[in-house]
Amino acid sequence: MPATIIMGGQWGDEGKGKLTDALAAEADLVVRANGGSNAGHTVVTPQGTFKLHLIPSGILHDRVVSVIGAGVVIEPSALVSEMKGLRERQIDLSPLRISERAHLVMPYHPQIDSLEEDRRGEQQIGTTRRGIGPAYADKVSRTGLRIADLMDERILRYRLRTELDRKNALLDRLYGVEPLDYDTVVSELLELAEVIRPHVVASEVVVQDALATGQNILIECAQASMLDIDYGSYPYVTSSSPTAAGACQGAGVGPTQVTQIIAVFKAYSTRVGSGPLPTELYDETGELIRRRGNEYGTTTGRPRRVGWFDGTSARYAARLNGVTEVALTLVDVLDTLPEIAVSNGYRLKGEEIAYPPAQDSEFAMVEPTYQTVRGWEQDITGARSIKELPLNALVYLDLIEERIGAPITRIGVGPGREQLVDRPSGQVAIR
Ligand code: IMP
């Protein structure tokens, strides 16, 4: 069976981890395609809550092979501490595979990420300061080090010598901070390398072999389409491609091997960090949604910005990614609201526009137009079938589905594994 992609349709934190976890029960392989420890996937299981940053959530299922693909950037110390945390909770790590082609987030990358953010002052991107941008920049500049280098002490020492000289010059002369000590960096990396070594493979070959033998593959993107380096709200984006196309590249599959592209959307909007969020709420409704949705960053703990569902950016993302299905999550967060708004368009300088402007200053100026519907004002966390959802919730789902332009096939009504309502195609309540 070919591959399925799970990706975020908004600005991240849509609940991709939960959906991947749910679908992983039927999968043979789960592959993480992009990003690094900037991501935070929360999965609630009967064994408790797991917060994963680098390791695919497939690891929480016994027989599923979990692959960190070539498109991911790996901070070895973060990976090893995540592995340790999982082992302490009796999670079997033997099915973990790590691409030898994945780039390393080196100790100087988070440092440069932070120093650059401080230098930007008011123009801060609001990065997670995990070194993601600088690591991808080195990858594209062809000066990065990879897992394959970490596996060979001689090559590691050689490549790091040249690179650390360059980075230390930057740290010293541009930022005026202490340079890093070569021997300390090498010895720390070599120690971490031994923990990682048993898991290192040619992950693209593992994935292709699985496809060739008819296995079921899930590809998990971190972040989301509106944070994409090309199509997101540049420069307020991450440095990878969290799109369906990026998922293929990062996991090592061809576009024709993918049959399903499931975009995860929240029933409202959130964003962490700076940049446009046209439907942002600054009032007590926003505060209520933040509190009920526990909208605080998994990786940084920062409060997330909150807004109404943005139909314009959602449709843009759905089209760009060739989305075949939608999972709409956190619908229960809206349970207490008497009225709910959905943005159905943007206006810019008096004109209607159907997609996000490329220039961030213009994107920040767009005025969303809204349609308001009545809330359902009842607890839906116990619903397990579409028939158990109140009429007003179904009206809301239909409205969102129409905006996105792809069928909503799953509805999240709570954080638990079982709190996912299936909505098989065709089972549409109202039209
Ligand atoms: P970076 O990926 O750390 O460089 O951060 C760039 C932008 O992406 C910032 O606005 C971050 O808040 C955002 N970002 C990165 N990872 C995530 C994520 O997993 N969820 C939501 N936002 C993220």
Side-chain angles (χ1 to χ4, degrees):
M1 160 143 178
T4 296
I5 292 173
I6 297 179
M7 49 154 299
Q10 295 158 306
W11 280 274
D13 311 307
E14 298 93 347
K16 298 177 288 290
K18 179 184 158 167
L19 183 71
T20 308
D21 173 66
L23 299 188
E26 310 287 313
D28 299 297
L29 238 91
V30 178
V31 192
R32 167 81 182 271
N34 74 296
S37 48
N38 50 349
H41 290 163
T42 307
V43 185
V44 181
T45 75
Q47 288 76 47
T49 300
F50 290 84
K51 289 185 192 297
L52 300 165
H53 297 280
L54 275 164
I55 299 178
S57 35
I59 203 73
L60 305 176
H61 291 264
D62 280 347
R63 27 149 231 102
V64 176
V65 173
S66 288
V67 181
I68 302 182
V72 177
V73 287
I74 300 175
E75 184 180 350
S77 62
L79 174 63
V80 167
S81 81
E82 199 166 318
M83 289 168 72
K84 184 165 170 277
L86 287 170
R87 271 206 194 96
E88 281 167 6
R89 295 178 70 181
Q90 275 72 54
I91 302 296
D92 175 21
L93 292 186
S94 58
L96 177 64
R97 311 277 185 271
I98 299 165
S99 171
E100 57 191 359
R101 292 176 185 269
H103 274 249
L104 300 177
V105 176
M106 298 293 283
Y108 40 80
H109 287 138
Q111 208 180 351
I112 293 171
D113 195 357
S114 256
L115 290 162
E116 265 307 300
E117 278 288 86
D118 292 342
R119 249 164 65 94
R120 284 185 197 112
E122 284 190 355
Q123 264 106 56
Q124 263 189 20
I125 293 166
T127 74
T128 58
R129 300 188 178 223
R130 294 292 191 273
I132 306 302
Y136 277 114
D138 279 0
K139 169 178 172 168
V140 179
S141 301
R142 294 158 296 181
T143 56
L145 279 86
R146 303 189 294 172
I147 289 282
D149 303 323
L150 185 64
M151 293 300 108
D152 186 322
E153 181 174 343
R154 203 175 45 86
I155 295 177
L156 178 72
R157 286 185 178 279
Y158 172 72
R159 297 232 156 106
L160 184 67
R161 177 99 270 164
T162 324
E163 200 40 35
L164 196 60
D165 283 349
R166 200 191 338 247
K167 289 296 182 317
N168 275 342
L170 197 68
L171 290 174
D172 179 27
R173 286 182 229 149
L174 179 64
Y175 300 111
V177 300
E178 275 296 291
L180 295 173
D181 177 60
Y182 173 82
D183 290 326
T184 312
V185 174
V186 171
S187 69
E188 282 171 6
L189 284 173
L190 288 176
E191 203 175 305
L192 296 164
E194 291 321 303
V195 184
I196 296 171
R197 186 180 304 283
H199 301 276
V200 175
V201 293
S203 68
E204 69 282 20
V205 177
V206 170
V207 169
Q208 286 301 328
D209 286 349
L211 282 169
T213 52
Q215 294 186 35
N216 185 5
I217 297 188
L218 277 184
I219 306 175
E220 182 186 35
C221 285
Q223 293 85 44
S225 197
M226 292 305 292
L227 290 172
D228 178 66
I229 188 80
D230 293 302
Y231 298 103
S233 45
Y234 193 88
Y236 301 102
V237 291
T238 193
S239 297
S240 66
S241 299
T243 52
C248 290
Q249 179 71 4
V253 308
T256 55
Q257 294 174 309
V258 176
T259 48
Q260 260 184 311
I261 299 172
I262 309 178
V264 187
F265 285 88
K266 260 180 207 189
Y268 48 92
S269 302
T270 62
R271 174 164 203 166
V272 246
S274 324
L277 181 65
T279 58
E280 187 159 8
L281 286 164
Y282 301 95
D283 57 6
E284 65 265 26
T285 305
E287 189 47 50
L288 180 77
I289 296 175
R290 182 177 301 111
R291 195 158 29 82
R292 285 186 51 84
N294 191 25
E295 295 296 354
Y296 297 89
T298 314
T299 301
T300 58
R302 291 179 288 178
R304 296 182 186 136
R305 298 156 62 196
V306 169
W308 294 124
F309 190 86
D310 178 350
T312 312
S313 66
R315 181 178 281 268
Y316 178 72
R319 284 167 40 130
L320 195 62
N321 289 284
V323 167
T324 59
E325 282 180 42
V326 171
L328 191 72
T329 57
L330 292 129
V331 181
D332 57 297
V333 171
L334 308 180
D335 276 358
T336 60
L337 297 180
E339 282 196 330
I340 305 170
V342 174
S343 162
N344 52 12
Y346 291 158
R347 291 184 75 78
L348 178 65
K349 299 174 195 156
E351 307 262 312
E352 276 184 23
I353 52 167
Y355 53 87
Q359 194 55 264
D360 67 293
S361 54
E362 292 199 335
F363 197 178
M365 273 164 54
V366 300
E367 291 166 25
T369 51
Y370 291 101
Q371 181 170 347
T372 302
V373 292
R374 300 245 314 269
W376 45 94
E377 296 187 85
Q378 90 186 55
D379 180 357
I380 60 165
T381 55
R384 294 293 174 270
S385 82
I386 189 99
K387 293 191 184 70
E388 293 170 66
L389 290 175
L391 184 68
N392 286 356
L394 297 174
V395 172
Y396 187 63
L397 295 181
D398 277 4
L399 181 61
I400 294 216
E401 184 174 80
E402 192 198 314
R403 295 280 169 265
I404 298 174
I408 297 175
T409 54
R410 291 177 187 83
I411 299 146
V413 293
R417 258 183 185 166
E418 71 297 347
Q419 289 176 302
L420 206 54
V421 173
D422 275 343
R423 186 179 184 241
S425 309
Q427 198 179 333
V428 178
I430 309 157
R431 266 281 164 257

PDB file of all heavy atoms in Angstrom, residues 11-13 38-40 125-129 132-133 223 227 237-238 272-273 302, ligand 1:
ATOM      1  N   TRP A  11      -0.757  27.197  11.056  1.00  0.00           N
ATOM      2  CA  TRP A  11       0.544  27.685  11.524  1.00  0.00           C
ATOM      3  C   TRP A  11       1.171  26.741  12.555  1.00  0.00           C
ATOM      4  O   TRP A  11       1.933  27.149  13.394  1.00  0.00           O
ATOM      5  CB  TRP A  11       0.393  29.094  12.108  1.00  0.00           C
ATOM      6  CG  TRP A  11       0.351  30.161  11.071  1.00  0.00           C
ATOM      7  CD1 TRP A  11       1.419  30.781  10.500  1.00  0.00           C
ATOM      8  CD2 TRP A  11      -0.815  30.778  10.487  1.00  0.00           C
ATOM      9  NE1 TRP A  11       0.999  31.724   9.585  1.00  0.00           N
ATOM     10  CE2 TRP A  11      -0.365  31.749   9.560  1.00  0.00           C
ATOM     11  CE3 TRP A  11      -2.182  30.601  10.651  1.00  0.00           C
ATOM     12  CZ2 TRP A  11      -1.225  32.539   8.817  1.00  0.00           C
ATOM     13  CZ3 TRP A  11      -3.046  31.379   9.905  1.00  0.00           C
ATOM     14  CH2 TRP A  11      -2.571  32.340   9.003  1.00  0.00           C
ATOM     15  N   GLY A  12       0.806  25.489  12.505  1.00  0.00           N
ATOM     16  CA  GLY A  12       1.393  24.505  13.425  1.00  0.00           C
ATOM     17  C   GLY A  12       0.491  24.214  14.605  1.00  0.00           C
ATOM     18  O   GLY A  12      -0.526  24.877  14.816  1.00  0.00           O
ATOM     19  N   ASP A  13       0.864  23.178  15.340  1.00  0.00           N
ATOM     20  CA  ASP A  13       0.158  22.777  16.566  1.00  0.00           C
ATOM     21  C   ASP A  13      -1.295  22.403  16.307  1.00  0.00           C
ATOM     22  O   ASP A  13      -2.165  22.622  17.143  1.00  0.00           O
ATOM     23  CB  ASP A  13       0.231  23.899  17.621  1.00  0.00           C
ATOM     24  CG  ASP A  13       1.642  24.404  17.783  1.00  0.00           C
ATOM     25  OD1 ASP A  13       2.519  23.575  18.013  1.00  0.00           O
ATOM     26  OD2 ASP A  13       1.866  25.626  17.651  1.00  0.00           O
ATOM     27  N   ASN A  38      12.419  21.835  17.071  1.00  0.00           N
ATOM     28  CA  ASN A  38      11.469  22.955  17.179  1.00  0.00           C
ATOM     29  C   ASN A  38      10.036  22.432  17.300  1.00  0.00           C
ATOM     30  O   ASN A  38       9.156  23.102  17.820  1.00  0.00           O
ATOM     31  CB  ASN A  38      11.571  23.905  15.969  1.00  0.00           C
ATOM     32  CG  ASN A  38      11.529  23.193  14.620  1.00  0.00           C
ATOM     33  OD1 ASN A  38      11.619  21.979  14.540  1.00  0.00           O
ATOM     34  ND2 ASN A  38      11.409  23.967  13.568  1.00  0.00           N
ATOM     35  N   ALA A  39       9.813  21.217  16.801  1.00  0.00           N
ATOM     36  CA  ALA A  39       8.458  20.651  16.810  1.00  0.00           C
ATOM     37  C   ALA A  39       8.141  20.068  18.180  1.00  0.00           C
ATOM     38  O   ALA A  39       9.035  19.674  18.922  1.00  0.00           O
ATOM     39  CB  ALA A  39       8.364  19.543  15.769  1.00  0.00           C
ATOM     40  N   GLY A  40       6.870  20.032  18.483  1.00  0.00           N
ATOM     41  CA  GLY A  40       6.444  19.379  19.711  1.00  0.00           C
ATOM     42  C   GLY A  40       5.137  18.681  19.437  1.00  0.00           C
ATOM     43  O   GLY A  40       4.138  19.325  19.135  1.00  0.00           O
ATOM     44  N   ILE A 125      11.727  36.959  14.512  1.00  0.00           N
ATOM     45  CA  ILE A 125      10.823  35.965  13.903  1.00  0.00           C
ATOM     46  C   ILE A 125      10.055  35.246  15.006  1.00  0.00           C
ATOM     47  O   ILE A 125       8.944  34.778  14.804  1.00  0.00           O
ATOM     48  CB  ILE A 125      11.651  34.966  13.059  1.00  0.00           C
ATOM     49  CG1 ILE A 125      12.241  35.693  11.855  1.00  0.00           C
ATOM     50  CG2 ILE A 125      10.822  33.763  12.619  1.00  0.00           C
ATOM     51  CD1 ILE A 125      13.318  34.936  11.131  1.00  0.00           C
ATOM     52  N   GLY A 126      10.669  35.228  16.190  1.00  0.00           N
ATOM     53  CA  GLY A 126      10.059  34.464  17.286  1.00  0.00           C
ATOM     54  C   GLY A 126      10.338  32.987  17.099  1.00  0.00           C
ATOM     55  O   GLY A 126       9.456  32.145  17.278  1.00  0.00           O
ATOM     56  N   THR A 127      11.583  32.662  16.693  1.00  0.00           N
ATOM     57  CA  THR A 127      11.925  31.243  16.486  1.00  0.00           C
ATOM     58  C   THR A 127      11.932  30.521  17.821  1.00  0.00           C
ATOM     59  O   THR A 127      11.902  31.148  18.884  1.00  0.00           O
ATOM     60  CB  THR A 127      13.330  31.069  15.843  1.00  0.00           C
ATOM     61  OG1 THR A 127      14.324  31.339  16.839  1.00  0.00           O
ATOM     62  CG2 THR A 127      13.535  31.970  14.646  1.00  0.00           C
ATOM     63  N   THR A 128      12.013  29.199  17.733  1.00  0.00           N
ATOM     64  CA  THR A 128      12.087  28.398  18.961  1.00  0.00           C
ATOM     65  C   THR A 128      13.504  28.437  19.551  1.00  0.00           C
ATOM     66  O   THR A 128      13.744  27.847  20.595  1.00  0.00           O
ATOM     67  CB  THR A 128      11.715  26.936  18.666  1.00  0.00           C
ATOM     68  OG1 THR A 128      12.609  26.449  17.663  1.00  0.00           O
ATOM     69  CG2 THR A 128      10.287  26.815  18.177  1.00  0.00           C
ATOM     70  N   ARG A 129      14.426  29.072  18.844  1.00  0.00           N
ATOM     71  CA  ARG A 129      15.834  29.183  19.249  1.00  0.00           C
ATOM     72  C   ARG A 129      16.496  27.812  19.389  1.00  0.00           C
ATOM     73  O   ARG A 129      17.402  27.627  20.209  1.00  0.00           O
ATOM     74  CB  ARG A 129      15.969  29.994  20.546  1.00  0.00           C
ATOM     75  CG  ARG A 129      15.414  31.402  20.391  1.00  0.00           C
ATOM     76  CD  ARG A 129      15.706  32.291  21.570  1.00  0.00           C
ATOM     77  NE  ARG A 129      15.175  33.627  21.310  1.00  0.00           N
ATOM     78  CZ  ARG A 129      15.803  34.760  21.569  1.00  0.00           C
ATOM     79  NH1 ARG A 129      16.994  34.744  22.109  1.00  0.00           N
ATOM     80  NH2 ARG A 129      15.239  35.924  21.296  1.00  0.00           N
ATOM     81  N   ILE A 132      17.311  25.766  14.297  1.00  0.00           N
ATOM     82  CA  ILE A 132      16.770  25.166  13.078  1.00  0.00           C
ATOM     83  C   ILE A 132      17.188  25.954  11.826  1.00  0.00           C
ATOM     84  O   ILE A 132      17.709  25.374  10.868  1.00  0.00           O
ATOM     85  CB  ILE A 132      15.229  25.069  13.184  1.00  0.00           C
ATOM     86  CG1 ILE A 132      14.818  24.318  14.468  1.00  0.00           C
ATOM     87  CG2 ILE A 132      14.625  24.448  11.927  1.00  0.00           C
ATOM     88  CD1 ILE A 132      15.354  22.934  14.613  1.00  0.00           C
ATOM     89  N   GLY A 133      16.958  27.261  11.849  1.00  0.00           N
ATOM     90  CA  GLY A 133      17.313  28.100  10.687  1.00  0.00           C
ATOM     91  C   GLY A 133      18.800  27.991  10.354  1.00  0.00           C
ATOM     92  O   GLY A 133      19.167  27.679   9.210  1.00  0.00           O
ATOM     93  N   GLN A 223       5.622  21.245  11.894  1.00  0.00           N
ATOM     94  CA  GLN A 223       5.159  22.604  11.539  1.00  0.00           C
ATOM     95  C   GLN A 223       3.970  22.534  10.564  1.00  0.00           C
ATOM     96  O   GLN A 223       3.215  21.590  10.641  1.00  0.00           O
ATOM     97  CB  GLN A 223       6.313  23.464  10.986  1.00  0.00           C
ATOM     98  CG  GLN A 223       7.374  23.792  12.018  1.00  0.00           C
ATOM     99  CD  GLN A 223       8.413  22.718  12.178  1.00  0.00           C
ATOM    100  OE1 GLN A 223       8.898  22.169  11.220  1.00  0.00           O
ATOM    101  NE2 GLN A 223       8.779  22.402  13.399  1.00  0.00           N
ATOM    102  N   LEU A 227       3.815  27.970   7.529  1.00  0.00           N
ATOM    103  CA  LEU A 227       5.177  28.253   8.008  1.00  0.00           C
ATOM    104  C   LEU A 227       6.211  27.780   6.992  1.00  0.00           C
ATOM    105  O   LEU A 227       7.405  27.749   7.268  1.00  0.00           O
ATOM    106  CB  LEU A 227       5.425  27.556   9.354  1.00  0.00           C
ATOM    107  CG  LEU A 227       4.676  28.105  10.574  1.00  0.00           C
ATOM    108  CD1 LEU A 227       4.880  27.186  11.780  1.00  0.00           C
ATOM    109  CD2 LEU A 227       5.137  29.517  10.916  1.00  0.00           C
ATOM    110  N   VAL A 237       8.622  32.405   9.057  1.00  0.00           N
ATOM    111  CA  VAL A 237       8.388  31.009   8.685  1.00  0.00           C
ATOM    112  C   VAL A 237       9.479  30.153   9.320  1.00  0.00           C
ATOM    113  O   VAL A 237      10.421  30.680   9.902  1.00  0.00           O
ATOM    114  CB  VAL A 237       8.454  30.835   7.141  1.00  0.00           C
ATOM    115  CG1 VAL A 237       7.280  31.499   6.461  1.00  0.00           C
ATOM    116  CG2 VAL A 237       9.773  31.358   6.584  1.00  0.00           C
ATOM    117  N   THR A 238       9.343  28.855   9.175  1.00  0.00           N
ATOM    118  CA  THR A 238      10.448  27.986   9.570  1.00  0.00           C
ATOM    119  C   THR A 238      11.342  27.794   8.357  1.00  0.00           C
ATOM    120  O   THR A 238      11.064  28.330   7.277  1.00  0.00           O
ATOM    121  CB  THR A 238       9.924  26.659  10.168  1.00  0.00           C
ATOM    122  OG1 THR A 238      11.026  25.991  10.814  1.00  0.00           O
ATOM    123  CG2 THR A 238       9.291  25.753   9.129  1.00  0.00           C
ATOM    124  N   VAL A 272       2.413  30.636  17.044  1.00  0.00           N
ATOM    125  CA  VAL A 272       3.429  31.056  18.023  1.00  0.00           C
ATOM    126  C   VAL A 272       4.489  31.830  17.288  1.00  0.00           C
ATOM    127  O   VAL A 272       4.804  31.490  16.157  1.00  0.00           O
ATOM    128  CB  VAL A 272       4.161  29.893  18.753  1.00  0.00           C
ATOM    129  CG1 VAL A 272       3.855  29.852  20.211  1.00  0.00           C
ATOM    130  CG2 VAL A 272       3.942  28.573  18.091  1.00  0.00           C
ATOM    131  N   GLY A 273       5.037  32.833  17.922  1.00  0.00           N
ATOM    132  CA  GLY A 273       6.049  33.643  17.254  1.00  0.00           C
ATOM    133  C   GLY A 273       5.388  34.794  16.515  1.00  0.00           C
ATOM    134  O   GLY A 273       4.167  34.977  16.562  1.00  0.00           O
ATOM    135  N   ARG A 302       5.572  29.027  25.310  1.00  0.00           N
ATOM    136  CA  ARG A 302       5.024  30.371  25.028  1.00  0.00           C
ATOM    137  C   ARG A 302       3.512  30.302  24.814  1.00  0.00           C
ATOM    138  O   ARG A 302       3.018  29.357  24.180  1.00  0.00           O
ATOM    139  CB  ARG A 302       5.643  30.936  23.739  1.00  0.00           C
ATOM    140  CG  ARG A 302       7.099  31.272  23.854  1.00  0.00           C
ATOM    141  CD  ARG A 302       7.652  31.801  22.532  1.00  0.00           C
ATOM    142  NE  ARG A 302       7.775  30.758  21.517  1.00  0.00           N
ATOM    143  CZ  ARG A 302       8.195  30.976  20.287  1.00  0.00           C
ATOM    144  NH1 ARG A 302       8.519  32.192  19.901  1.00  0.00           N
ATOM    145  NH2 ARG A 302       8.305  29.988  19.424  1.00  0.00           N
TER     146      ARG A 302
HETATM  147  P1  IMP B   1      12.033  27.957  13.992  1.00  0.00           P
HETATM  148  O1  IMP B   1      11.417  26.804  13.271  1.00  0.00           O
HETATM  149  O2  IMP B   1      12.462  27.618  15.390  1.00  0.00           O
HETATM  150  O3  IMP B   1      13.104  28.627  13.187  1.00  0.00           O
HETATM  151  O4  IMP B   1      10.881  29.071  14.165  1.00  0.00           O
HETATM  152  C1  IMP B   1      10.325  29.765  13.058  1.00  0.00           C
HETATM  153  C2  IMP B   1       8.834  29.988  13.259  1.00  0.00           C
HETATM  154  O5  IMP B   1       8.168  28.727  13.211  1.00  0.00           O
HETATM  155  C3  IMP B   1       8.469  30.595  14.611  1.00  0.00           C
HETATM  156  O6  IMP B   1       7.334  31.421  14.441  1.00  0.00           O
HETATM  157  C4  IMP B   1       8.100  29.391  15.456  1.00  0.00           C
HETATM  158  O7  IMP B   1       7.241  29.727  16.512  1.00  0.00           O
HETATM  159  C5  IMP B   1       7.419  28.535  14.403  1.00  0.00           C
HETATM  160  N1  IMP B   1       7.456  27.106  14.725  1.00  0.00           N
HETATM  161  C6  IMP B   1       8.502  26.268  14.631  1.00  0.00           C
HETATM  162  N2  IMP B   1       8.155  25.036  15.007  1.00  0.00           N
HETATM  163  C7  IMP B   1       6.854  25.076  15.321  1.00  0.00           C
HETATM  164  C8  IMP B   1       5.905  24.089  15.742  1.00  0.00           C
HETATM  165  O8  IMP B   1       6.194  22.908  15.882  1.00  0.00           O
HETATM  166  N3  IMP B   1       4.651  24.547  15.972  1.00  0.00           N
HETATM  167  C9  IMP B   1       4.275  25.831  15.776  1.00  0.00           C
HETATM  168  N4  IMP B   1       5.126  26.784  15.372  1.00  0.00           N
HETATM  169  C10 IMP B   1       6.400  26.405  15.145  1.00  0.00           C
END
